[in-house]
Amino acid sequence: MYDAKLAVQTISSNGKVTVTYAWGTLGDNHPGEAAGVGRIVGTTLKLERLPNGADLSFVMRPDRTLAGTVRLAGQTYTGVFLKQ
Protein backbone atom coordinates (compact mmCIF):
# COMPACT_ATOMS: atom_id res chain seq x y z
CA MET A 1 0.00 0.00 0.00
CA TYR A 2 1.29 3.41 -0.95
CA ASP A 3 -0.18 6.65 0.34
CA ALA A 4 -0.01 9.83 -1.71
CA LYS A 5 -1.96 13.04 -2.21
CA LEU A 6 -2.21 15.32 -5.21
CA ALA A 7 -3.45 18.88 -4.81
CA VAL A 8 -3.93 20.86 -8.02
CA GLN A 9 -3.10 24.49 -7.24
CA THR A 10 -3.71 26.19 -10.61
CA ILE A 11 -4.97 25.29 -14.08
CA SER A 12 -4.47 27.74 -16.94
CA SER A 13 -6.55 27.90 -20.11
CA ASN A 14 -3.73 26.28 -22.12
CA GLY A 15 -3.68 23.22 -19.83
CA LYS A 16 -0.62 24.11 -17.74
CA VAL A 17 -0.99 23.18 -14.09
CA THR A 18 0.82 23.63 -10.82
CA VAL A 19 0.43 20.99 -8.11
CA THR A 20 1.61 19.87 -4.74
CA TYR A 21 2.32 16.15 -4.51
CA ALA A 22 2.90 14.39 -1.18
CA TRP A 23 3.97 10.77 -0.81
CA GLY A 24 4.59 8.16 1.83
CA THR A 25 7.40 5.62 1.89
CA LEU A 26 7.98 4.22 -1.60
CA GLY A 27 10.89 1.84 -2.09
CA ASP A 28 13.98 3.62 -0.73
CA ASN A 29 12.28 7.01 -1.01
CA HIS A 30 11.18 8.51 2.32
CA PRO A 31 7.94 10.47 2.78
CA GLY A 32 7.98 13.98 1.39
CA GLU A 33 6.27 16.72 -0.55
CA ALA A 34 7.14 18.63 -3.70
CA ALA A 35 5.73 21.36 -5.88
CA GLY A 36 5.31 20.33 -9.49
CA VAL A 37 4.29 21.66 -12.87
CA GLY A 38 2.78 19.87 -15.80
CA ARG A 39 0.14 19.89 -18.48
CA ILE A 40 -3.33 18.43 -18.97
CA VAL A 41 -4.04 16.99 -22.40
CA GLY A 42 -7.46 15.38 -22.76
CA THR A 43 -7.95 13.32 -19.60
CA THR A 44 -4.23 12.99 -18.78
CA LEU A 45 -2.17 15.12 -16.42
CA LYS A 46 1.58 14.63 -16.95
CA LEU A 47 3.98 16.28 -14.51
CA GLU A 48 7.57 17.26 -15.17
CA ARG A 49 10.07 15.17 -13.20
CA LEU A 50 9.97 15.91 -9.47
CA PRO A 51 13.15 16.74 -7.51
CA ASN A 52 13.21 13.19 -6.07
CA GLY A 53 13.44 11.80 -9.63
CA ALA A 54 9.83 10.61 -9.85
CA ASP A 55 7.88 10.82 -13.10
CA LEU A 56 4.13 11.07 -12.52
CA SER A 57 1.06 10.91 -14.70
CA PHE A 58 -2.62 10.79 -13.87
CA VAL A 59 -5.67 9.84 -15.95
CA MET A 60 -9.24 10.78 -15.09
CA ARG A 61 -11.34 7.62 -15.41
CA PRO A 62 -15.01 7.47 -16.48
CA ASP A 63 -16.05 6.88 -12.85
CA ARG A 64 -14.36 10.23 -11.97
CA THR A 65 -11.53 8.62 -10.00
CA LEU A 66 -7.94 9.46 -10.84
CA ALA A 67 -5.58 6.65 -11.88
CA GLY A 68 -1.98 7.52 -11.00
CA THR A 69 1.34 6.13 -12.22
CA VAL A 70 4.65 6.84 -10.50
CA ARG A 71 7.96 5.82 -12.05
CA LEU A 72 10.88 6.02 -9.64
CA ALA A 73 14.28 4.32 -9.54
CA GLY A 74 13.39 1.79 -12.24
CA GLN A 75 10.09 0.80 -10.60
CA THR A 76 6.53 1.60 -11.66
CA TYR A 77 3.75 2.02 -9.12
CA THR A 78 0.07 2.44 -9.99
CA GLY A 79 -3.03 3.21 -7.99
CA VAL A 80 -6.28 5.10 -7.79
CA PHE A 81 -6.73 8.45 -6.07
CA LEU A 82 -10.07 9.22 -4.43
CA LYS A 83 -11.36 12.79 -4.19
CA GLN A 84 -11.47 14.10 -0.64
Side-chain angles (χ1 to χ4, degrees):
M1 180 101 176
Y2 170 64
D3 289 320
K5 292 189 178 196
L6 175 70
V8 176
Q9 305 298 324
T10 64
I11 303 173
S12 67
S13 60
N14 65 1
K16 289 187 177 183
V17 298
T18 60
V19 303
T20 301
Y21 182 73
W23 61 89
T25 301
L26 183 62
D28 293 334
N29 197 33
H30 297 289
E33 176 181 310
V37 296
R39 178 174 295 278
I40 297 172
V41 177
T43 59
T44 301
L45 165 59
K46 173 77 170 107
L47 297 180
E48 293 178 7
R49 182 167 285 169
L50 295 181
N52 68 350
D55 291 311
L56 290 87
S57 62
F58 305 90
V59 176
M60 183 64 69
R61 301 183 339 174
D63 66 0
R64 306 297 292 161
T65 58
L66 193 63
T69 301
V70 177
R71 289 180 180 83
L72 178 64
Q75 299 292 318
T76 299
Y77 305 89
T78 60
V80 176
F81 287 74
L82 303 176
K83 186 175 181 177
Q84 294 185 343

